[in-house]
Structure formats: C-alpha cells, structure tokens
Amino acid sequence: MFKIGFVKMGNIASSLAVDLALDEIAERTDIEMRILSSGPKMTTKEAEASADLKVWSPELVIIIGPNAATPGQTAVRDLYKGMPTIVISDGPTKKEARDVIAGDGFGYIILPMDPLIGAKREFLDPAEMALFNSDALKVLSICGAVRMVQEEIDKAISSMARGDIKLPQILATPEKCAEFMEFTNPYAKAKAIGALYMAQTVALIDAQACFKLKEIEPIALAAAAGHEVMRAAARLADESRELEKAGDSVSRKPHARSGELMRKIRLLEKPAKI
Amino acid sequence: MFKIGFVKMGNIASSLAVDLALDEIAERTDIEMRILSSGPKMTTKEAEASADLKVWSPELVIIIGPNAATPGQTAVRDLYKGMPTIVISDGPTKKEARDVIAGDGFGYIILPMDPLIGAKREFLDPAEMALFNSDALKVLSICGAVRMVQEEIDKAISSMARGDIKLPQILATPEKCAEFMEFTNPYAKAKAIGALYMAQTVALIDAQACFKLKEIEPIALAAAAGHEVMRAAARLADESRELEKAGDSVSRKPHARSGELMRKIRLLEKPAKI
Amino acid sequence: MFKIGFVKMGNIASSLAVDLALDEIAERTDIEMRILSSGPKMTTKEAEASADLKVWSPELVIIIGPNAATPGQTAVRDLYKGMPTIVISDGPTKKEARDVIAGDGFGYIILPMDPLIGAKREFLDPAEMALFNSDALKVLSICGAVRMVQEEIDKAISSMARGDIKLPQILATPEKCAEFMEFTNPYAKAKAIGALYMAQTVALIDAQACFKLKEIEPIALAAAAGHEVMRAAARLADESRELEKAGDSVSRKPHARSGELMRKIRLLEKPAKI
Amino acid sequence: MFKIGFVKMGNIASSLAVDLALDEIAERTDIEMRILSSGPKMTTKEAEASADLKVWSPELVIIIGPNAATPGQTAVRDLYKGMPTIVISDGPTKKEARDVIAGDGFGYIILPMDPLIGAKREFLDPAEMALFNSDALKVLSICGAVRMVQEEIDKAISSMARGDIKLPQILATPEKCAEFMEFTNPYAKAKAIGALYMAQTVALIDAQACFKLKEIEPIALAAAAGHEVMRAAARLADESRELEKAGDSVSRKPHARSGELMRKIRLLEKPAKI
Amino acid sequence: MFKIGFVKMGNIASSLAVDLALDEIAERTDIEMRILSSGPKMTTKEAEASADLKVWSPELVIIIGPNAATPGQTAVRDLYKGMPTIVISDGPTKKEARDVIAGDGFGYIILPMDPLIGAKREFLDPAEMALFNSDALKVLSICGAVRMVQEEIDKAISSMARGDIKLPQILATPEKCAEFMEFTNPYAKAKAIGALYMAQTVALIDAQACFKLKEIEPIALAAAAGHEVMRAAARLADESRELEKAGDSVSRKPHARSGELMRKIRLLEKPAKI
Amino acid sequence: MFKIGFVKMGNIASSLAVDLALDEIAERTDIEMRILSSGPKMTTKEAEASADLKVWSPELVIIIGPNAATPGQTAVRDLYKGMPTIVISDGPTKKEARDVIAGDGFGYIILPMDPLIGAKREFLDPAEMALFNSDALKVLSICGAVRMVQEEIDKAISSMARGDIKLPQILATPEKCAEFMEFTNPYAKAKAIGALYMAQTVALIDAQACFKLKEIEPIALAAAAGHEVMRAAARLADESRELEKAGDSVSRKPHARSGELMRKIRLLEKPAKI
C-alpha cells in the first residue's frame, strides 16, 4: 500500500477534508494514511513536532495549513525537503513566492478561496470557528476545490506508482475549481464561480479584522461582515447544487476499492469506472 | 503546558472541530496538543498505529470517531486503558454499552446527533462527503454540541490541573446540547433542539442505506434522503442563530490566553472573564 | 351512487383532506358522501354519537382520527363491526395491535407521518393548531400520503363495485408514500422521503410535550421544537415540488366525472384516462 | 353543555379549522359539537341532507362553505331559518347580498381572504387541492382570520349563555383580521396584512380559471398562477410569524377548560386568564 | 440615426429602464436618445419645462410617468400633440380614458403592474423609495413588462423607418407581459403571471395609504403592507427566473449593433438574429 | 427655489435614484431639478449634448455615470468647469485620479460598490440589464450608499444656501456607507457591509467579462457569475433590513416640505425634525 502522510499545521477549511477525501468510504485497498498535527498553533515549535511523521516513511507528504509563507510553515517544509511533498495553503498567491516553493522541489496547491477566518477573541469563539469552517467547507466541496485537491493528490500518487513523480503547481482560481465539478447546468457553474469569488472576498475582509483594525467595534463588525459573506457564499453554492439536482445531473466521482475514480451523473445509476 | 493528545479513528463531524475548539485563535498558553490519525479507516490496524501518540506522554487523551463499540475503537481504548481518556463518539447509546466504557475508567461523550454519513459508493463521493460534514458541523456548532464537547474537555483539564481528575460521562440529548448555547430567544432554542432531533433522524435513515438495503435505487434514495434531512437541519440551525442575531444576543465564549473561558453577548461588547 | 360515510373522531391532518380528496372538484357522479364528527374530542361519548351515520346506510365507512388503539376509537369500531370499514390513523404502528384491527375485519391505513400535535395549553392555541395542521397537510399532500389514502379508498370502492371487497391493510412508510407521487426527479423523491421521516420525528418530540413533561418551560420548548421540525418538513416538501416544477414533471391525477383516475405530467397538457 | 352544530357544505380553508379552533386541545367542558357534511358537493341535494343536524337540537348553528349566495347554501339557510345561525363564507361581499342574509336573521362572517381554489380538472388533483388548502390555512391562521372566526363564535356562545343573543355581521378585511392577532411588531402586522391582500388576489385569478377561460393552456396557467400567489402569501405569513418569534412576542390565546380565553405572549410563560 | 426623445415626469419603475432598455450595451448605431426630466414632481410647471426637448427635433417621443390622466401629464401631451408620441404610465386603465389618449393621436402602454409607491412622509424616505423601485423593477424585468415596453418602442421605430407609423395601444395584463418572456417552463410563466398580479395588488394597497387614510398608524401599516407585497412579488419573480435557469432556458433578446433584435436561450450559445 | 441640474451619462445604479432621492414624495418646496441625459452611450458626442443644461442656469450640477476617468465623462466635466459640480461615479478609485478631479474644482463621490454591469451582448439583454440594476439598487438603498449620496448633495445645497460652498470629496467604502444607515442591530450593519463588499467583487468579475475575455463561454460564465454575486448581495442586504424590521428599528429619514431632513425609527411613530 502506498503511504501518504499529512502534516496539518494550523487550520484552513481544506484541512478538514483533505485526508478523508482520498478514501471517502474507507474502503480503498491501495493506500494508507497517517496524519499528524499539533493543533491550531503554527509556530516553529509545532513545526519541529511534525518531524515525527518521517519515522513512518511516507512516500508522499501533504503539508496543509494557512499561509505557506509564514515561518512555521517554512520550517516544516525545511524538514521535508527532498521528500515528495505537496503544500496546500491559502497563500502565498504571488508568483515569486510560489516559485520559491516550487524551486525547493515542492508541489503546491494555493487556494485563495479557502479564506482566513475572523480570528479575533472579540468575535471568534469555538462555536463561531466551527460554523465558519462549515460554511467554507460547503463552498469548497460544492464548487470544486475539494475535488481539485483530491484529484491532484490522486494524480500525484498515480504518477509515483508509475515511477514518474509529478507534483501539482497550481494557483487555484474560481474558474479552475468549477471546471473540476463537471457541471451540466451552466448557471450552476456560474453560481459556483460566484461563490468562490465571494470566498476570496472574505479573506480580504477578515484580514482587516485580524491584522489592521485595533478597536473592538470595527474588529467585531469586520469579522462579522466577513463571516456573513462566507455564509452568503455557502448559500449560493447550495443553490448551485440544487440547480444540478433539478436536472438530476450532480456529478459524483467516488473511489473504487482499487483507488481508481468512478463516475456517475444520475442519482439512481451505478458509478462506472472512468 | 498541559499536554492533550487526540486519536482520531475514522470520522464524525465532531472530529473536525474537537481540537481546534480548544484553542480557536491559537493563542492559549496553557495547553499544547498532538493529534494522530490514520484517516478514515478504523480497523484494528489503524488502532495499533494510534499507540504512537503515547510516546509524547499526553496527560489527557481524547479518542474520537464513529461508534465506540466497534472492534477498532475498542482496540484503541485497550491501548489507552489506565491513562486519563475521554471517548467521543456517536455511539453506543445504550446504557449497558456505555457502562462498559465507564467501567474501564474512560470518560465519554456520546453524541447521537453527530450522525452516520450515507457511506455507500453508490451515493457518496469526496465532495458529497465534505458537504455532509459541512451540514453536520453547522448543526453541531450552532446548537451546542461543539460547545458541550469543548467545555467538557476544558473542565476535565481544569480538574486535572487541580489534581482531581473528573471525566465526563454524558449521553448527549438535544436538550442538553442546547442548554450549553445559553440562548436568549426561546424560539432560537426550540429551533436548535429541533435541528438536533433532525440530525438524530439522519442517523436512522443513513443506517438503512449503509447496512440494510442492497439495491442501487433504494440505497441512493435513502442516502440522498438522509443528506437532505441533514441539510434541512443545517438550515433550521441557521435560522436559530439568525433569531439570536435579531436580538443581538448571540452567546460567544472565547478562550482567554490563559485558557479561561470568557463570555460576551452583544456583538460590539468586549468579552469578559466569567 | 356509491355511499361512503366518514366518522371523524378527534383530528389528524389527514382528516382535513380525506373526504375532499375523493372528489376534489365536486363533479364525481358515482359517489356520494356523508361525514359526521363530534369535533376534537374522542371519548366514548363522541364514539356513541357516531352511530348516527348508520342511518344513512353507507356502503363503506371510513373512521379517521388519532391513535386507533384508544378507547374512543375502539368504541367507534365496535359500532361499525361487520360493515366494510377502513380505519385511518397515525397509530398503532405495532404489528400485534394492527393485527387486532384486521382480525376484526377492518381495513386500515396507519400513517406515522401524520404526527401528534403539541397539544398542551401552555403552547397550543387555535391559531397554532391550524398552523401545525397546515404544515402537516403540506407534507402529506406533496409527499404522497394524501394520494395513498385517496387511491386506497378509491380501490376499495372499485373492489366493492366489482363485488369483491378488498380493504387495505397498510402501515405507511415514507418510501411507500413517496412511491405514490410518481416522482420524475429522484432528488424530489429523496426530499419527499426525508420530509416524511421528519414528520415522524415530530411525533416523537410532541409526545414528550404531551405525555411526559410536567413543567412549563420544557413543555413549551418541546412543543415548539416539534412544530419547528414540522415547519422545516413542510419546507423540504415544498422544495421537492419545486424540483418537479423545474422539470415540468409534477404528477397530477385528477378524478374524471365517472370517478376514474386520470393522469397528467406536463402542466399544459390535458389529463388522460389511465 | 352548550351545543354547537356545524353544517359544512363544499369547502373553504376555514372549514378545516372552524370546529377544531373552538376546542384546540379537546378539553373544554362547556361545549359539545356535532359536525355534518356531505363532502365537497354543494347542490340542493346536499343542502337537504344537512337537515339531519336539527335532530340533535343544536343551540347555535354554523353553516360554512363557499359563496353563501349560491342556491345550495341558500337552501341550507332556508332549513335553519329561525335558529341562531352564523354563516361563514368567502362571499358574497356586496352589501346588498349580505343585508339579505342579515335580514333573514343570520349572523355572518364573510372572508374574502379565504379564496376560491383553482378547481379545474386540467389543474387540480387531490394532492394539489390539499396543498392549496395548506397554504390558505397558513395565511388564515397566522394573519388572524382563524382567530377572528373563533373569537366571534366564542362571543356568540357567551352572548347566548347570557341570554342575549348577538351574532356577528362581519365583512372581514385584512386589517380587521390582523387586529385579532395582537401583533407586537408592526412589520409582522404589515406582512400579515399584505399576505391577506395577496390571498384576496388569489380569488380573482382563480375565478378566471374556474369561470371564464375555456382552453387548457390559459386555464392551467391561471390556476397555477393563483396557487403560486397563495404559496407566496403563505411564505409572507410565515415571515410575519418569524418576526414575532424574533421578539418572543407571538400572541397565543388558548381556551381554558372552562372555555374562557387565556393569553400568553412569551413562549416560556404560562397562559393567564384575560 | 433615428432620434428618440424621452420626457420623464414623476417616476414609475419603468421610467428607470425605458431608455436604457433600447440600447442595453450602448452599442446601437441606428438610434440616438435625449432624455429630459424635471425630477419627481409632476405639476404643470414641470410639464412646461418638458417643451425644451422639442428643440432637439425628436422623431419619436416617449412620455413616461405616473397616471397619464393627471393634469401635469395631460399638459405634457398637449405640448407634443401632433408629434409621434407614446405615453407610458400605470394608468388610466379605464377604456374611455385610454380612448381619449388614443383619440388625440397618441400611442400608449398602460402598465397597472407598475404600481403606485407608498408615497407618504410617514413611511417613505429616499432609501425606501429606491428599495421599492428595486423590487418593482425586478418584477417588471423578469416577468416581461420591460421587454414589452422595449419591443413595442422598437416596433414603433421600425414602423417609422418603413414610413408607416404604427404606435402601440396596449393595456398591459399579466398574461400579455409574460407572453413576451417566451418562457420555456410553464411554472416559471405561472410564477411570473402571479408576481404581476401581486404588483397590481400593491397599487390597491398603496392607494389607500396615499389617498384615503389620515392617521399615522394606518398610513404606515398600509404603506408597509404594500411594500411587503412588492417585495414578495420580487421574490416570486426571482423564483420564476431560477426555474428557467434550472432548465438553461432563460430567454435573452439583446440588440445587435444595427438595432435588430437577436435571441439566445442557452447560456453558453451565441445570440443569433431572429 | 434652488436649482439643481443633473447630467446623466451612461448609467450606474445610483443614476436611477440620485434625483428622486432628493425629493422622494415630490413635495419639497425649496428645490427644483432638471435632468438631462443622452441615454446609455457616453462618447464625446453625448458629452457635448450635455451642454444644453447650462441654459437652465443650475446652481449646482451633478454629473453621474460610469468611470469618471473616461474621455466622455472628462469632456462633460470640461463643460462644467467653474460651476459648482459634483461628480458621482464608480471610479476612478485611485487617489491621483481623484485628485485631478478635485484639483479641477469638482466635488466627487466615488462608489466602487455601484458595480460595472456584465455588458456583453453574449449575456446582457434589456431584461437582464434592468434586473442587474434592480439588485444593485437594492444593495445601494439598504446599505447606505443611496443615503450617503443624497445627504451629501443635501449638505452641498445647504452649504451653498449659506453662501459657503462645500462639495464632498469622498471615496466611499462599505463601512462609510453603512454608517449612514444608523443601524441599531450590529448584525444588520455587518450584513450591509458584507453586501457592499460583495458588490465591489461584482465589478471585478464583470470587468473580466467586459474587457478581458474573448470567447463566448468564458464571457457568458463570468458575466453570469458577476450577476449571481450581485443577486446574492441583494439578498444579504434584504436580510440586513429584515433584522432591523425584527427590532422595529429601521431608520427612515424623509425630507420635510422645507427640504430639511426628518427622522423616525419605529414604524408607527411620526417623523420628527432632526
């Protein structure tokens, strides 16, 4: 069995699904996983702790968490340099910063639509944190980001199985994500693209709350506004899926036991190998 | 710093938030965490792998995943017998089965409202899996289950800090969960309770899809029906929170840096120590 | 003309439509009806009053009301023993109890999805009562229960016209009800099934308010939660129908003047005899 | 016990709740009821059948059904002339026609907001019939029409108990109905008034389908349009009630065992005698 | 280039789109426009000011604003008598009044579904005014009134280009407007018709607020109720369009550069000349 | 009476309300208006035509339309240089470009939340154009942009009446706009801010459709996505207002006959001078 290790440092919504998405009904016989995390913190201390995963000798490593340009994330990468590794994060989005990551031999998937949470004690508590992740996960799952990440990892695994390592280097855009969902209804696709743009806007708003504002009122308002937009994006994503339900054209691509992807469109048909 | 270790075996929606909920803005200075998982599978093989967490010498262990009565979950507990450990799962709900767990010295929180997913290849793919978790997480976060779990773990930590270990033994009900959210508006509370009952109904429907039905059509219909009810529950939960927003009475209880719980009700007020 | 008599004892939502559903535009020339009720009460006193219908010499009798296992309902049945009679109720659901009814020669349709109302003065007033019935009727009409009841009565009438009495013995399930609506869109069907399961959950919640709880707060909360779930079920049912509207595939089966069933699918087509 | 008899001839949505609304939890000890109906038809034949209720010697008679100016309804009234009787119907609305009814000694409540159904075989089937009644009942219950009817009957009973017969003579308007709901939030009241006006518009649209149009396409479109407006009105009514929930100010006026009206506003308070 | 002049006197929602609708992407090469207005007022003083447009020598004049039977509007028409002119207004609806306008040589389009606003200081402020226009414009654009007006003006222009002046004389009805949208889904059409009837109801309600009621409470309630119905109509219109999106059958009829109408149905297809 | 002239060049959603907002019930006795437009086009030819307004000798001129940095808009400004003039547009947003406008003596209000429409024949037709404006106008009216523009113009008029000309120089932000609505409920304010950010995102998406993409599919998808986000923003704005309705705290600021602003909060109270 192919061994995939995950280092989760801090949290983005994609962190919640990245491992589960590779084996959604826990029946794949071709891969095994190991996930290690030190929780929400992402300092160099947590980075060091992530070295423990190496003992398990993963064949592919996924490092996932916020802003891959921060010191903690960089420290983790330093540990895994030389091993086949894919970095998944909401940033950096700038070409130069991404090139540095690629230059170090890492694959990456940058997801600006997996937005910064309104992480201020003046607004966020454990319930609100989970709620934001729920909304973000809804957008990412319906609009194609979850599938993009999963298929890209699946492709990397396949490439390694074929002895020809190819790691993704992707700056995700709303349009690229939506492509992965193979929408039949073009309005469903437009809604999905719209929802993803809204998710990107959330990052912008929450960044003000997290890094710029200083007073309780503007902080709480900005964080609340960001979370409202996230919730509105989740609703638009939901509408997208309802449109596909109306046409009985929801694209489903489950894994076969063998790990291969299958496909079905109509709810009452069986999935078939692609 | 107090060391809490998490073993995640398989997945329930609470798994996605349980560690993050203890330190929602990653600023607590009193605890550190380590999370270990082998992904969605939950056989005895994954159970064995979970032993690695012991090396880190956690002071408190949380074992979380589906149905604590299954062999894999039981095998994990066997490894951690004797260590202060809390089991979090959607089952077993029967008194005798829970008593066995307690009898072995474990604390537990059983959450029947964190329901079984429609885990059949005929219906579930990675996107649908993430989507279901999004809806479940929305219900659990808004209606009090996330806070119940978090506060109970926080209480256990405090009890140990005081040298007086007290682990929870809780079969969660919709009413108990809702209590934790300190709703001001009684209709918001009624909606939350209703949403949690709906989540429990989901488990019933999905169990048919997973364990009883054999043909593609009834399986796909049952799983789809279960996920529709989950989605409807998420929407009712959302309504609950909107009612509290209407009264500017959303209860927020963030962690202070010290780990203590704070509280705020009005959006534009500062949280204060309780 | 075939004479059908109805005894309404107490009220379930199906009571509101059962007679009207047999002749929805009041143009059938093959049947006539007589309905007798003593209102919401269902003691043996009301049961006795129901005997008056016999004078009219109905060829088929429908007894409809809550829980057919209660003394009042039993007393009515005693009066009609020996006459072709169908009992329609939300209970009893247990096989043995239903067998007793069948053993006495009665047909029956048990509808667990026509749920107990939150019948406590602490919560229910005339407006809330009518509102709950509105929501329940929406679920029953969209999701197939109204049609199941109507077609089964129509079939019984036909069987008697042919001189071959056959009375239904049905414990309705969400799946069976949905079958009657001949959904074209499978997601519409899944939503309908889900809505019916939710309606069954309502019974569970309201039963606590009606029979178990003693204090004003838990009673009012439970009853309100039950009614919120009923309302959420009505909304999911509504979504089901909207999906069929999206495909112009709403199944309509009006009665011809002769009493035969007709069918149409597209809104702008004429109904045709089946 | 005071004896109230109901003759139901044909059906309007108010017919579904008028008797139940007098004893919503079936515990009143001061009144007893008898309801007689011949189903949806309303010819003079059904009118004759309604005479049977007289045998029971009701002290007050309620005749309810569509358009009280039609021959069938007139024939029923002829039978009950001289007995204390209240006519409840959606028409006639014209002063002269109402004066005729009053001139014959009848009380009346005319409810133009209890609208004509789209009663054409080209559109209506039993399920659609029940669905329309569900939507109409939602508007009538939330916006005050159900309560107006119930309180007026209760007042008539009281007047007779005092030996001073006073029967209502009311042409209901949206504003008068809404008054009965004792709204706290003025926007809730405005929404209720709006929903009732919409219900009146439904009658206008459905009348075209029923009486004016001849071809399948315009008939089906008009009937469908009428039912869409009814559904939209139900949703606006629902919003009205949600606004009152937001302020925990839903007015509830249950009957005491004695038949007296009680009142409560906050969900968790007990009802108190008025 | 053909010269079209617009006199806007006072405001109806159609005023906001009538000129823009003739050249929605500002690329037509066959027409030029000039619009003159004196704002919301509509006395004879503003009427006089409208004469200035004549200097530009428009070939076709559109006079648009509330109730064409008022003195101000009549005064404007007096100025343009003898020029090819189309009057667009929400009234008068009566045949005789319209015949007077036609008798004077004017074309007209009367739109009773472009309703009177709740124009009382007790309720209306600039934000509420804009909001009402937003809702009205949504109904008019989705349900066909905007297209009817635009196509009728386009037809008048073409007729003049052919040297055969033909001006419209139309009393718009919900059914006629909906015809213009070329709906594929009949339920979408029914919803559109329903929304337009609701808009007509708004006029009825607002007229009470504007002209009949005298006290603050009934005025504010009536105006608010009217605006709630307008908002509900906008939502029903929105549903209509969503149904067409579900079938990828939204009818779009853009102008070619040449001014000819093009048509497309599927979102991803190019428009083609008709 | 104070004379205000408007030059409308091309269209932004604010163009639809800017003049009406100054005299929402057409009863102000202190100002008169004249509005001149050449329709949707905005070339230098239309700019020249705008000179005609000068004849009327307006005391204050408002130039409103898309992107004030374009040649047409610049040409209009050239004509009005030296007259008290306020430019209202969605751009330019850059400081330098705005400084040029201010340097020429103009006041300005730049509204990035009044976004570019998806102005491509492949997507936009007259109905879609009006629909987009409806959604934009909803956001602008509920969230404060309409009021900001109106109050700033009112202030400029007052300043001139006092002989002390002061023209606004404002780059509007979501936060500043929301400030004008004097929200009572902070969540309503957060939703309004969020909706305005979403509107800004629309501009970004539509700009791709208008200026960057070349193929029918990406153009139609991008334009559709932009309009979906606009529609989602309108819905979030609507939620904002519903929250204020729930607290009966909608801020209304109508004009008195004298032109002074009045204020009311509770629906059933009279407006009072500020």
Side-chain angles (χ1 to χ4, degrees), chain D residues 38-167:
Chain D
S38 297
K41 293 209 190 73
M42 43 188 283
T43 69
T44 46
K45 182 179 165 190
E46 282 77 33
E48 281 161 37
S50 78
D52 291 2
L53 186 69
K54 283 186 165 177
V55 183
W56 184 61
S57 307
E59 292 162 85
L60 175 64
V61 175
I62 311 292
I63 303 172
I64 187 165
N67 198 347
T70 52
Q73 301 284 5
T74 308
V76 177
R77 282 201 302 283
D78 285 346
L79 289 170
Y80 286 90
K81 210 168 282 182
M83 294 180 65
T85 298
I86 303 171
V87 172
I88 301 175
S89 185
D90 60 333
T93 53
K94 293 221 172 116
K95 179 101 180 62
E96 313 85 74
R98 287 183 284 121
D99 284 351
V100 170
I101 294 174
D104 286 345
F106 298 105
Y108 65 79
I109 305 174
I110 302 297
L111 299 156
M113 60 286 296
D114 190 334
L116 182 64
I117 197 170
K120 297 290 281 190
R121 188 175 291 115
E122 288 84 349
F123 176 69
L124 202 77
D125 76 338
E128 181 78 39
M129 177 278 302
L131 183 49
F132 180 85
N133 276 300
S134 159
D135 282 329
L137 196 53
K138 179 157 277 194
V139 171
L140 299 176
S141 58
I142 290 176
C143 304
V146 165
R147 189 179 282 178
M148 169 189 273
V149 168
Q150 165 246 316
E151 291 200 2
E152 290 299 333
I153 298 177
D154 273 336
K155 268 192 275 181
I157 295 172
S158 300
S159 76
M160 293 177 72
R162 285 193 317 268
D164 165 33
I165 304 188
K166 258 191 99 173
L167 302 180

Side-chain angles (χ1 to χ4, degrees), chain D residues 123 175 186-187 189-191 193-195 197-198 200-201 204-205 208 220-222 224-225 228-229 231-232 235-236 239, chain E residues 123 175 186-187 189-191 193-195 197-198 201 204-205 208 220-222 224-225 228-229 231-232 235-236 239:
Chain D
F123 176 69
E175 291 79 8
Y187 289 100
K189 191 171 183 179
K191 285 174 192 282
I193 292 171
Y197 272 106
M198 286 165 66
Q200 295 185 170
T201 299
L204 188 83
I205 305 173
Q208 296 181 45
L221 272 175
E228 289 291 341
V229 175
R231 176 172 161 273
R235 197 164 40 181
L236 187 54
E239 273 191 17
Chain E
F123 176 69
E175 291 79 7
Y187 289 100
K189 192 171 183 179
K191 284 173 193 281
I193 292 171
Y197 272 105
M198 286 166 66
T201 299
L204 187 83
I205 305 174
Q208 296 179 45
L221 271 175
E228 289 291 342
V229 175
R231 179 174 160 272
R235 198 165 39 180
L236 186 55
E239 272 190 18

Side-chain angles (χ1 to χ4, degrees), chain B residues 200-252:
Chain B
Q200 295 185 171
T201 300
V202 171
L204 188 82
I205 305 173
D206 281 349
Q208 296 180 45
C210 290
F211 306 128
K212 197 180 125 202
L213 299 167
K214 299 295 171 204
E215 302 296 321
I216 167 75
E217 296 214 2
I219 286 173
L221 272 175
H227 286 216
E228 288 291 340
V229 175
M230 195 72 247
R231 177 172 161 274
R235 198 164 40 181
L236 186 56
D238 180 76
E239 272 190 18
S240 164
R241 198 160 180 94
E242 291 300 303
L243 276 197
E244 289 288 16
K245 289 182 190 170
D248 190 15
S249 58
V250 177
S251 158
R252 299 176 188 275

Side-chain angles (χ1 to χ4, degrees), chain C:
Chain C
M1 288 214 277
F2 188 89
K3 296 167 80 173
I4 320 168
F6 295 82
V7 175
K8 298 187 179 178
M9 266 273 287
N11 186 67
I12 57 175
S14 297
S15 306
L16 306 179
V18 66
D19 45 340
L20 303 169
L22 293 184
D23 192 11
E24 69 277 9
I25 56 169
E27 292 193 351
R28 277 180 78 167
T29 55
D30 63 324
I31 58 168
E32 55 185 324
M33 308 184 197
R34 189 68 60 92
I35 301 105
L36 189 66
S37 171
S38 296
K41 293 208 191 74
M42 41 188 285
T43 68
T44 46
K45 181 179 166 191
E46 284 77 32
E48 280 161 37
S50 77
D52 292 2
L53 186 70
K54 282 187 168 175
V55 182
W56 185 61
S57 308
E59 292 162 84
L60 175 65
V61 175
I62 311 292
I63 303 172
I64 186 164
N67 197 347
T70 51
Q73 300 285 5
T74 308
V76 177
R77 280 202 303 283
D78 285 346
L79 289 170
Y80 286 89
K81 209 171 282 182
M83 292 181 68
T85 299
I86 303 171
V87 172
I88 301 176
S89 185
D90 61 333
T93 53
K94 293 221 175 117
K95 179 99 180 65
E96 313 83 76
R98 289 184 283 121
D99 284 350
V100 170
I101 294 174
D104 286 346
F106 298 106
Y108 64 79
I109 305 175
I110 302 297
L111 298 156
M113 61 286 297
D114 189 336
L116 183 63
I117 198 169
K120 297 290 281 191
R121 187 176 292 112
E122 288 85 349
F123 176 70
L124 202 77
D125 76 339
E128 181 78 39
M129 176 279 302
L131 184 49
F132 180 84
N133 276 300
S134 160
D135 282 330
L137 196 53
K138 178 157 277 193
V139 171
L140 298 176
S141 59
I142 290 177
C143 305
V146 165
R147 188 179 283 179
M148 169 189 272
V149 167
Q150 164 245 315
E151 291 200 2
E152 291 297 334
I153 298 177
D154 273 335
K155 268 193 274 182
I157 295 173
S158 299
S159 75
M160 293 179 71
R162 284 193 318 267
D164 165 33
I165 304 188
K166 259 191 98 169
L167 302 180
Q169 295 186 358
I170 297 177
L171 172 62
T173 62
E175 291 79 8
K176 276 185 215 167
C177 288
E179 219 48 62
F180 273 82
M181 283 314 276
E182 302 177 356
F183 288 104
T184 295
N185 183 303
Y187 288 100
K189 192 171 183 178
K191 284 173 192 281
I193 292 171
L196 291 163
Y197 272 106
M198 287 165 66
Q200 296 185 169
T201 300
V202 171
L204 188 83
I205 306 173
D206 281 349
Q208 296 180 45
C210 291
F211 307 128
K212 197 180 127 203
L213 300 166
K214 300 294 171 205
E215 301 297 319
I216 167 74
E217 296 215 2
I219 286 174
L221 272 175
H227 285 216
E228 289 291 341
V229 175
M230 195 71 248
R231 178 172 160 274
R235 199 164 39 180
L236 187 54
D238 181 76
E239 272 190 19
S240 164
R241 199 161 181 93
E242 291 300 304
L243 275 197
E244 289 287 17
K245 288 183 191 170
D248 190 15
S249 58
V250 177
S251 159
R252 298 175 188 276
K253 295 178 77 177
H255 287 97
R257 228 170 248 275
S258 64
E260 289 168 280
L261 277 183
M262 307 179 81
R263 175 186 280 139
K264 60 177 284 188
I265 292 288
R266 297 173 54 86
L267 177 61
L268 302 185
E269 78 187 355
K270 285 198 181 167
K273 293 238 168 112
I274 297 175

